[in-house]
Amino acid sequence: MSAFSGIRGAVADEHGISHFGEPFIEQRRVAAGTAFVPLDDRRVIEVAGPERLSWLDSITSQSVGRLAPGESTELLVLDPQGRVEHAAGVLDDGASTWLIADAADAEGLATWLTRMKFRTQATVDLRPEFALLGFVDGGAAAATVTAAALAPTGAPLIWADPWQRVSIGGHQYAEVSDHPGAALAWRVGIVPVDKLDALAASVEPDAVAGLLAAEALRVAAWRPRWAAEVDDRSLPHESDWIRSAVHLSKGCYRGQETVAKVHNLGHPPRRLAALQLDGSEAVLPAPGSPVFVGDDEVGHITSVARHHEDGPIALAILARRTPVGDLVVRDDGIDIAAAQQVIVPADAGATADIPRITRLSRRPAAPDPRGSSAGR
């Protein structure tokens, strides 16, 4: 049970507290930086040891070998075909690397990392004695969470979501000048569980918000998440995750060949789109609901939310060749009209501005028998 479940209006489900009775008002408070969100649907993994960063660098998609204390990023674990298996936020404090993972993924990620250690001087531990509190930077919530956060080396452990900008070594497929992710300064504090009861007792009810608020802001920012956008076919290109979680020019790692091939030569078979849903039916489709163009099923909903400004919105994974236009989402026999905004274009990868290396021959080119220069 969450330490915050005793606050007036708390409504909980299997993931945590979904809201405190006023979802739209809570969203506004979180967006303004005046309320934080208990993230009971996520877990903490600690990786310690002198070789932790070089080891993580060698087996994941992100360049973390020289991650400085206090610096944040995120990484993916890919299978040999480049499909996403695990995802985590990353924060190093100079002695340990802290991974933030979705609850359903955390144990699997920790187990996989443990199996991959071999003789590496590193340890991997799930840390249930730590909780996670999310907030938007710049307001009173930042001060509250920072004061409670774990500070093993003196600096509080606050992960800064890298989705705000294209990371070094990353690439953005979304062809927009004003990416909605740029406006969301999302932060997550790692807080000892034994501090939560006192924190819950001391904060005002309007300083806390539920998971629905965090999800609505995430969906509006086009931000992919393992628990929602990942299935057994997911490539990082499909959800524009190369923007923040993949370093395209780092050393070899499992799945790198597929990442490079799709980015440089091909197109991902599916693409993420943002949907503005018709709210006249007062029905939100469930994640997994199919998406149609006419009678043709072209994809499915991955995330859905009611946003305090945009109304009902969703993210959907669509077949690459899905027409750019209006769609229909079908949920329990009800058809819901959806206006589509392209996040990952159908030709993603072809537009990658990656310099090509000219192949040289040791033998001089044979003279053109027609007496003309090559390429004329």
Side-chain angles (χ1 to χ4, degrees), residues 3 24 29 35 63 68 75 80 101 106 111 122 130 142 151 165 209 213 215 253 285 311 323 329 343 359 374:
F24 286 159
R29 290 170 178 161
S63 178
L75 58 77
T111 298
F130 298 116
R165 57 189 61 87
E215 278 296 280
Y253 58 92
V329 180
I343 298 176
R359 181 172 294 178

Side-chain angles (χ1 to χ4, degrees), residues 55-204:
W55 171 60
L56 287 172
D57 187 274
S58 70
I59 59 175
T60 71
S61 66
Q62 189 56 270
S63 178
V64 298
R66 297 182 179 180
L67 196 68
E71 188 176 359
S72 298
T73 185
E74 69 173 326
L75 58 77
L76 302 175
V77 172
L78 307 178
D79 74 6
Q81 288 73 45
R83 295 179 293 237
V84 178
E85 288 192 333
H86 307 287
V90 185
L91 173 65
D92 196 80
D93 65 11
S96 294
T97 302
W98 301 85
L99 305 182
I100 297 172
D102 285 329
D105 185 36
E107 185 173 353
L109 173 57
T111 298
W112 185 84
L113 290 172
T114 300
R115 289 173 179 170
M116 295 297 293
K117 282 196 315 176
F118 302 106
R119 296 187 178 182
T120 302
Q121 295 183 59
T123 59
V124 179
D125 295 290
L126 277 167
R127 299 299 298 270
E129 66 269 36
F130 298 116
L132 297 164
L133 303 179
F135 62 95
V136 171
D137 202 16
T144 300
V145 176
T146 299
L150 179 69
T153 59
L157 294 181
I158 305 292
W159 177 71
D161 189 347
W163 187 250
Q164 269 195 282
R165 57 189 61 87
V166 181
S167 297
I168 295 173
H171 184 91
Q172 177 178 303
Y173 288 140
E175 297 174 346
V176 294
S177 57
D178 53 344
H179 195 290
L184 184 63
W186 185 245
R187 305 290 186 264
V188 176
I190 300 175
V191 178
V193 169
D194 58 14
K195 288 188 176 182
L196 294 184
D197 287 338
L199 180 60
S202 64
V203 297
E204 296 295 327

Side-chain angles (χ1 to χ4, degrees), residues 12-338:
D13 58 21
E14 69 272 20
H15 303 296
I17 298 175
S18 56
H19 63 86
F20 290 88
E22 301 175 313
F24 286 159
I25 294 175
E26 293 168 36
Q27 277 185 51
R28 294 189 181 96
R29 290 170 178 161
V30 175
T34 62
F36 63 85
V37 181
L39 300 175
D40 296 325
D41 58 347
R42 297 161 216 209
R43 299 289 182 269
V44 179
I45 300 170
E46 182 184 8
V47 181
E51 296 179 342
R52 66 190 185 283
L53 289 175
S54 59
W55 171 60
L56 287 172
D57 187 274
S58 70
I59 59 175
T60 71
S61 66
Q62 189 56 270
S63 178
V64 298
R66 297 182 179 180
L67 196 68
E71 188 176 359
S72 298
T73 185
E74 69 173 326
L75 58 77
L76 302 175
V77 172
L78 307 178
D79 74 6
Q81 288 73 45
R83 295 179 293 237
V84 178
E85 288 192 333
H86 307 287
V90 185
L91 173 65
D92 196 80
D93 65 11
S96 294
T97 302
W98 301 85
L99 305 182
I100 297 172
D102 285 329
D105 185 36
E107 185 173 353
L109 173 57
T111 298
W112 185 84
L113 290 172
T114 300
R115 289 173 179 170
M116 295 297 293
K117 282 196 315 176
F118 302 106
R119 296 187 178 182
T120 302
Q121 295 183 59
T123 59
V124 179
D125 295 290
L126 277 167
R127 299 299 298 270
E129 66 269 36
F130 298 116
L132 297 164
L133 303 179
F135 62 95
V136 171
D137 202 16
T144 300
V145 176
T146 299
L150 179 69
T153 59
L157 294 181
I158 305 292
W159 177 71
D161 189 347
W163 187 250
Q164 269 195 282
R165 57 189 61 87
V166 181
S167 297
I168 295 173
H171 184 91
Q172 177 178 303
Y173 288 140
E175 297 174 346
V176 294
S177 57
D178 53 344
H179 195 290
L184 184 63
W186 185 245
R187 305 290 186 264
V188 176
I190 300 175
V191 178
V193 169
D194 58 14
K195 288 188 176 182
L196 294 184
D197 287 338
L199 180 60
S202 64
V203 297
E204 296 295 327
D206 60 2
V208 187
L211 291 170
L212 288 179
E215 278 296 280
L217 298 180
R218 178 186 72 83
V219 174
W222 302 350
R223 211 266 188 256
R225 182 179 175 187
W226 182 91
E229 276 63 57
V230 172
D231 58 27
D232 58 5
R233 298 169 53 198
S234 296
L235 298 174
H237 318 67
E238 296 176 340
S239 54
D240 213 8
W241 225 338
I242 291 179
R243 169 186 171 88
S244 60
V246 177
H247 196 292
L248 290 169
S249 57
K250 61 165 282 185
C252 293
Y253 58 92
R254 190 172 71 162
Q256 183 192 33
E257 184 177 354
T258 298
V259 168
K261 184 180 295 184
V262 173
H263 182 66
N264 294 329
L265 303 175
H267 308 293
R270 303 183 299 176
R271 59 180 183 83
L272 191 68
L275 304 184
Q276 182 70 55
L277 303 173
D278 177 12
S280 61
E281 294 286 347
V283 174
L284 272 183
S289 297
V291 179
F292 290 84
V293 173
D295 294 329
D296 298 326
E297 186 173 337
V298 295
H300 66 276
I301 296 292
T302 58
S303 299
V304 64
R306 292 190 188 276
H307 192 267
H308 68 281
E309 292 179 341
D310 299 334
I313 57 175
L315 296 176
I317 286 287
L318 308 175
R320 181 171 70 87
R321 296 186 182 278
T322 300
V324 177
D326 291 346
L327 305 169
V328 171
V329 180
R330 188 163 297 159
D331 179 73
D332 198 22
I334 298 174
D335 285 355
I336 303 168

